Amino acid sequence: MTAVDARPETTTMLRFPAGFRWGTATAAYQIEGAAAEDGRTPSIWDTFSRTPGKVRNGDTGDIAADHYHRMREDVALLKRLGVTDYRFSVAWPRVQPTGRGPAVQKGLDFYRRLTDELLSAGIRPVATLYHWDLPQELEDAGGWPQRETAQRFGDYAGIMADALGDRVATWTTLNEPWCAAFLGYGNGVHAPGRTSANASLRAAHHFNLAHGWAAQLLHTVLPSTSEISLTLNLHAVRPHSPSAADIDAVRRIDAVGNRIFLDPVFHGRLPQDLVRDTSSVTDWSFVQDGDLEAISTPIDWLGINYYSPSVVAAGSSESPSPWAGAEEHVRFLPAPGPRTAMDWPVDADGLYELLTRLRDDLPGVPLVITENGAAYDDYANPSGEVNDPERVAYLQSHLTAVHRAIDAGADVRGYFLWSLLDNFEWAYGYSKRFGIVHVDFATQRRTFKDSARWYADVIARGGLTG
């Protein structure tokens, strides 16, 4: 009998650069609760979620994950994970209830306590100024389609810089302005629930302007070592076929989904093909002299939120559509592959494609993955454990894609997993779970899922096994 050598299986360790930022992310309305405490007034999401038929099961963020009262417990979870950074958002109506005038000190004190707790745990706070919770009073005055809202946002940014500038060194002006503009004002599936292509384009411009004015102010009042950023949910779009019509469908979606923000912010210009595509909707006269100069105020890095790619073909979309200027020319088709509980395709190659595109299109601009994750139908088993192998596989493939992009020359500085906690998932209410920490919403008990332990190991080792 001949013995067979038992050779150990070889694995490759994919190590990330020294100083790579490992974090998780949350949003105020999705986790805080305490919707009417300490001076907080309604945001557009409070109003929207209380409107019958807008949110699954009639869920609201009134309690959410009760983070407002359990903040120290949640920071302890972050410390247990070993993250270097934590990305949270400030609830505008908690600190400036009407969107005008002086701040509410109790609201500011909550964020002071949060940042102090993070710093004591050795975790860098990353503050997002806007994650969709516009004070309802500003929406009643016209909301983001009105230029004044961008002005009010600049004032609010000044309040927060004054309150937290000595504690927070990393600031993000806006989170996903595409969703806020086009899902909120275009097809109405997000707050405030309006359906107007014209309003969505006006809102998009005023989001850009709000970002630019806030960036100018923050650069002026914060220490020179502070970082200022913007987070976009850029779309990885592929044509259904190589036909000219399908390739033009990609161009249209890229214009209204990506370049509507990238071109003004980084090049100080409007995409002229977008202006042509939307000429039946608006003449863009709301863009005033000096706007594009303000919008293109330099920032320190660009945040990228990515979950899945899209496949498009020539055709038409259902009405109302969020895709202003493209709705009569583009239809979306199912992408191949496994799906998450959101029915989103799992495809890490889309993230690689996006990062390498930005490497080429925005040379010299550092990138950070500010959201990436997946919802699955998680539950605690009789032993109290939450096994989520699908999420671990999702994260493994997407972090591998980030590593590939870095090897290909993309300047990616960090990765923030979405999300720390199961939470209020916007129009889906509490029916979708993105967290790596399971939340029993009846008891508010927190439980590490297998994915949390996996991520903690990745952070501790500075990489993952390929």
Side-chain angles (χ1 to χ4, degrees), residues 234 259 262-263 266-267 269 302 304 351-367 404-412:
L234 297 176
R259 289 183 284 114
L262 292 173
D263 280 15
F266 293 102
H267 304 298
R269 67 188 183 218
L302 175 64
I304 307 298
L351 179 55
Y352 175 82
E353 294 162 9
L354 194 56
L355 292 173
T356 51
R357 171 202 171 160
L358 294 170
R359 172 203 64 193
D360 298 338
D361 290 357
L362 302 176
V365 177
L367 308 173
R404 284 175 56 212
I406 293 172
D407 278 352
D411 185 10
V412 184

Side-chain angles (χ1 to χ4, degrees), residues 12-70:
T12 302
M13 186 67 180
L14 305 179
R15 297 196 180 278
F16 285 75
F20 193 79
R21 298 163 76 153
W22 297 100
T24 61
T26 61
Y29 189 71
Q30 294 184 268
I31 67 167
E32 282 183 2
E37 292 187 33
D38 294 336
R40 184 189 181 278
T41 57
S43 73
I44 55 174
W45 269 98
D46 293 282
T47 302
F48 187 79
S49 65
R50 292 187 176 95
T51 303
K54 295 297 186 181
V55 174
R56 188 169 297 182
N57 300 319
D59 293 338
T60 74
D62 287 359
I63 299 174
D66 198 30
H67 173 73
Y68 191 75
H69 300 113
R70 300 169 186 267

Side-chain angles (χ1 to χ4, degrees), residues 371-394:
E371 287 185 26
N372 178 239
Y376 289 101
D377 295 324
D378 308 317
Y379 60 92
N381 66 24
S383 300
E385 300 170 334
V386 183
N387 309 126
D388 56 343
E390 300 94 345
R391 182 175 291 104
V392 170
Y394 178 100

Side-chain angles (χ1 to χ4, degrees), residues 171-177 207-208 211 228-232 261 265-266 299 301-304 370:
W171 295 80
T172 298
T173 55
L174 306 173
N175 177 80
E176 297 187 355
F207 274 120
N208 279 336
H211 158 74
I228 299 166
S229 64
L230 167 70
T231 282
L232 302 176
F261 301 107
V265 170
F266 293 102
I299 59 176
W301 49 266
L302 175 64
I304 307 298
T370 39

Side-chain angles (χ1 to χ4, degrees), residues 1 79 154 235 264 331 370 388 396 404 453 462:
M1 180 184 290
K79 185 173 183 179
H235 300 81
R331 60 193 175 100
T370 39
D388 56 343
Q396 171 84 28
R404 284 175 56 212
R453 286 183 281 272

